[in-house]
Amino acid sequence: MRRALRVMTGLAVVGGLPAAAIAQEAVPLDGVVVTTSKTPKRAVDTPSASSSVGGGGARKKAAPAAAPAEEFPASVVSVDGFGANGKSQFDKIQGQSVTDLVRDVPGVTTSTNAADPGQAINIRGLQDFGRVNVLVDGARQNFQRTGHNANGKFYLEPEFLSSIDVTRGPSANAYGSGAIGGVAAFNTRDIDDVLRADENAAVIQKVGFGTNGAGYVTSTSGALRAGPNVDLFGQFVSRDTSEFENGDGVRVQDSGFNDYGGLGKIAIRPASGHEVTASAMVQEYDYVDHNSLRAGPTFVNVREDNDVGTQNYTLGYTFARPDTPLIDFSAKAYYTSTEAEQEQSPVFSFGTRDFKIETTGVDVHNTSRFSTGIFKHQLTYGGDAFEDQVSVNDLIGTGDLFTPNGERFVWGTFIEDEVQLTSWMRVIGGLRYDSFELEGGSVSKEGDRVSPKGTLAVTPIKGIELYGTYAEGYRAPAITETVISGIHPVPAFPFLPNPDLDPEVGKTKEIGLNVKYDDVFRRGDRLRGKFSLFRNDVEDFIDLRNLGAPPTCTPPFFCFQYVNIGSARVEGFEAELGYDWGQGFFNVAATLTESED
């Protein structure tokens, strides 16, 4: 890597009384996650491989007066951002991309390309075509374009982010269909990232610049409490980078990009326990990529001017009050789209092409808390659905052959019960039903399945929790995997459709250890740890294979096709450990993963 300098400056103008002091820095494992079961818990308290990045820790929002906050944790726990802790993890990292923010999460890597600011999340060796459910404010990011890189990426400016919530493996099957690798939920900033509890209005202006391609970034955030029951938030970000030099001092062509975007949110509380929220985020990315492409019998150097636009809209409603323990309700509808336009020159080579994927979805669930005798239950149940519409326009080239047009509708329901048997033992049992319908070209497919989940967690001594989990996940074939049909490069390698593809089924076994101690070496310090061993066996894993030269292909060329292979296995070990003593802190993470098919 080439040495680089980054400098950040900021100005905050606030109204109201300032906080007396900045709160203690929290280790990441105290951050709140919801991807395990849709109910908020600190990462260190979840019997799953879950991690939180970004927020300074967990805090209590103002709980309804009917009961103390600690008696009703599901509705009052949130993640701190700038306003609550004065400084979040993201402020320390100063990331230029999502990759910079998740690089220290065990079991998580990203697939990137210097010539494309998009990135794909890989969890435990699995990625592409929805094996990792990527969410932004609860909205799925399903963009996919076939090429010489990841088959599934998203575009997201890190300055918009407040926290990231990751659960590894299909133990997060309550969070949607397909996630046999896991779930990565990205939460954008809101009023709590700007205002402290005793402030009513603020504007934060942030400016950063750096060397070796980092360029500059500006971020303007504003928040307003327009009365006790209306919150308003807005943010605008602009980033301009240039090509960087690698370790040999060589400038990496096409490694710069520009992006800008806006984020707006409103929250209204019309009555006690009720909250209606709406959010809108739009982004634009501009970058250039040079390729060597075949034009007839020869190869030519082609310049591609890329313009990628994203839209992310959500509308949500929640209801929760301490005096209604059977109702902790949440509903969200969303629309997302990612459109990539490419202008290729020389024009006689390929011309202009356009890739667009739109996803419309809904997620509804409720948590009921009750007791049966001495057993305490937290029963969560609900359903979700989404539809992908793929529209590709490439009249001169073959983009629509390798990223074919089509529609896919996926829906599912789930039920999950967490039962506190004793003060030292809890059991979690759940079922999820998934169904899908896919249409593309002349192909029409459908399928369904029930996937179970079970967890036993025990606390043999205070501060130590052991758990064991078995969970299954179900992923329907993607449109591209099923319908792809074309020759690349002409006339060499035919790609064949496969309407007979079976869905993938991931079956994970996991054992884990959670460590949670306070006042270990000095008063006020904190020690947190999570360790897990896992094995994920994927039946009917879908892979792109060389079929050799069957009768449908002309020797000496070979056919390629997405096919089901008998089985694939991913197994490994993950560890996180953090210690915070007030004047300083450290966090370490380790991952060992092996896979075979």
Side-chain angles (χ1 to χ4, degrees):
M1 297 182 64
R2 201 74 173 170
R3 186 172 297 166
L5 170 69
R6 296 183 191 173
V7 179
M8 305 304 298
T9 64
L11 172 67
V13 181
V14 301
L17 298 175
I22 293 176
Q24 181 189 40
E25 176 66 35
V27 292
L29 289 175
D30 273 338
V32 174
V33 298
V34 296
T35 49
T36 302
S37 61
K38 291 183 179 286
T39 54
K41 289 184 177 65
R42 289 177 173 85
V44 73
D45 294 329
T46 60
S48 62
S50 299
S51 301
S52 175
V53 186
R59 65 183 174 94
K60 300 287 186 181
K61 284 186 176 178
E70 60 270 16
E71 294 182 11
F72 198 60
S75 295
V76 297
V77 177
S78 68
V79 175
D80 278 342
F82 183 89
N85 267 38
K87 203 74 171 173
S88 75
Q89 289 175 261
F90 292 165
D91 292 321
K92 297 175 178 63
I93 298 171
Q94 296 298 342
Q96 284 185 275
S97 67
V98 170
T99 295
D100 294 335
L101 305 182
V102 301
R103 64 187 179 188
D104 296 330
V105 179
V108 177
T109 57
T110 58
S111 177
T112 61
N113 183 335
D116 188 337
Q119 50 238 303
I121 296 290
N122 181 303
I123 296 182
R124 290 181 172 177
L126 295 174
Q127 68 177 59
D128 292 346
F129 297 119
R131 293 186 178 99
V132 174
N133 184 0
V134 176
L135 305 167
V136 176
D137 289 336
R140 295 180 77 110
Q141 309 297 304
N142 289 352
F143 180 73
Q144 178 267 323
R145 180 176 62 185
T146 300
H148 293 272
N149 41 49
N151 272 299
K153 64 176 62 176
F154 62 100
Y155 296 81
L156 184 58
E157 166 57 52
E159 285 296 325
F160 285 130
L161 292 177
S162 173
S163 65
I164 305 172
D165 171 0
V166 176
T167 292
R168 302 177 287 278
S171 61
N173 61 9
Y175 235 89
S177 176
I180 64 174
V183 176
F186 296 86
N187 306 302
T188 60
R189 290 160 59 88
D190 60 22
I191 190 171
D192 291 323
D193 293 290
V194 177
L195 300 181
R196 296 183 175 93
D198 55 356
E199 295 170 347
N200 298 320
V203 175
I204 296 179
Q205 176 63 51
K206 175 179 177 180
V207 179
F209 62 91
T211 63
N212 195 19
Y216 73 85
V217 60
T218 66
S219 173
T220 306
S221 302
L224 172 67
R225 289 195 174 97
N229 296 314
V230 179
D231 297 338
L232 301 174
F233 173 83
Q235 184 181 7
F236 177 80
V237 176
S238 177
R239 184 185 298 272
D240 189 344
T241 70
S242 58
E243 295 177 344
F244 64 84
E245 293 183 1
N246 65 16
D248 295 324
V250 177
R251 185 172 295 275
V252 178
Q253 186 182 29
D254 302 334
S255 57
F257 67 92
N258 302 320
D259 76 72
Y260 60 92
L263 170 66
K265 292 187 175 182
I266 182 171
I268 302 173
R269 292 172 290 277
S272 175
H274 299 266
E275 183 174 68
V276 179
T277 60
S279 70
M281 183 176 69
V282 295
Q283 301 176 108
E284 290 287 335
Y285 283 80
D286 298 311
Y287 60 97
V288 175
D289 188 12
H290 287 80
N291 286 293
S292 180
L293 301 178
R294 179 180 289 275
T298 63
F299 285 88
V300 296
N301 290 322
V302 175
R303 171 188 168 104
E304 293 180 340
D305 291 283
N306 296 270
D307 182 5
V308 177
T310 74
Q311 300 178 64
N312 205 85
Y313 303 106
T314 70
L315 179 63
Y317 166 75
T318 59
F319 173 79
R321 277 205 321 246
D323 59 343
T324 59
L326 295 180
I327 305 176
D328 187 349
F329 179 79
S330 174
K332 177 168 286 188
Y334 62 86
Y335 167 83
T336 69
S337 76
T338 300
E339 183 172 11
E341 296 180 351
Q342 289 184 335
E343 180 73 32
Q344 296 183 331
S345 55
V347 176
F348 69 83
S349 173
F350 282 88
T352 304
R353 56 183 183 176
D354 180 89
F355 300 82
K356 185 176 184 179
I357 291 185
E358 300 172 279
T359 302
T360 304
V362 62
D363 186 310
V364 179
H365 63 274
N366 183 65
T367 298
S368 298
R369 295 171 178 84
F370 57 93
S371 298
T372 55
I374 62 172
F375 301 146
K376 297 180 179 179
H377 297 260
Q378 183 173 267
L379 181 67
T380 304
Y381 44 93
D384 53 83
F386 69 89
E387 181 181 54
D388 288 333
Q389 291 189 329
V390 181
S391 304
V392 180
N393 240 336
D394 192 359
L395 299 179
I396 302 176
T398 57
D400 54 343
L401 300 180
F402 297 103
T403 308
N405 293 298
E407 298 180 357
R408 183 178 63 152
F409 179 70
V410 180
W411 68 277
T413 61
F414 75 94
I415 184 169
E416 184 172 301
D417 192 12
E418 180 175 341
V419 186
Q420 192 75 41
L421 300 177
T422 68
S423 60
W424 54 272
M425 180 184 294
R426 53 178 167 161
V427 173
I428 302 173
L431 292 173
R432 178 177 178 87
Y433 171 78
D434 285 299
S435 177
F436 78 94
E437 300 174 5
L438 182 153
E439 292 186 3
S442 60
V443 176
S444 179
K445 284 181 66 66
E446 60 182 27
D448 60 355
R449 189 178 191 275
V450 175
S451 302
K453 169 187 173 180
T455 297
L456 172 64
V458 297
T459 304
I461 58 175
K462 183 180 180 181
I464 298 291
E465 182 179 53
L466 298 169
Y467 69 86
T469 293
Y470 176 80
E472 295 184 1
Y474 177 79
R475 186 185 77 86
I479 296 171
T480 291
E481 292 172 306
T482 309
V483 189
I484 186 171
S485 177
I487 299 176
H488 175 77
V490 177
F493 304 116
F495 287 74
L496 306 179
N498 187 355
D500 297 322
L501 274 179
D502 291 323
E504 296 174 341
V505 177
K507 300 180 178 181
T508 288
K509 307 175 186 69
E510 182 175 317
I511 56 174
L513 169 68
N514 295 335
V515 178
K516 181 182 178 182
Y517 285 107
D518 297 330
D519 304 324
V520 181
F521 301 111
R522 56 183 293 179
R523 184 175 179 83
D525 69 358
R526 285 173 291 176
L527 178 68
R528 304 288 188 263
K530 287 183 76 75
F531 307 87
S532 60
L533 282 167
F534 68 90
R535 171 179 290 176
N536 189 357
D537 291 297
V538 184
E539 295 181 356
D540 293 318
F541 185 76
I542 300 174
D543 201 3
L544 184 64
R545 286 299 172 92
N546 182 350
L547 302 182
T552 53
C553 300
T554 303
F557 304 120
F558 305 97
C559 286
F560 291 83
Q561 187 180 51
Y562 285 100
V563 300
N564 294 111
I565 63 176
S567 63
R569 169 173 290 177
V570 184
E571 56 188 355
F573 168 77
E574 297 162 347
E576 288 182 273
L577 184 66
Y579 177 66
D580 182 349
W581 63 96
Q583 285 73 45
F585 66 95
F586 72 84
N587 301 294
V588 294
T591 304
L592 174 64
T593 305
E594 294 183 354
S595 63
E596 63 178 347
D597 63 47

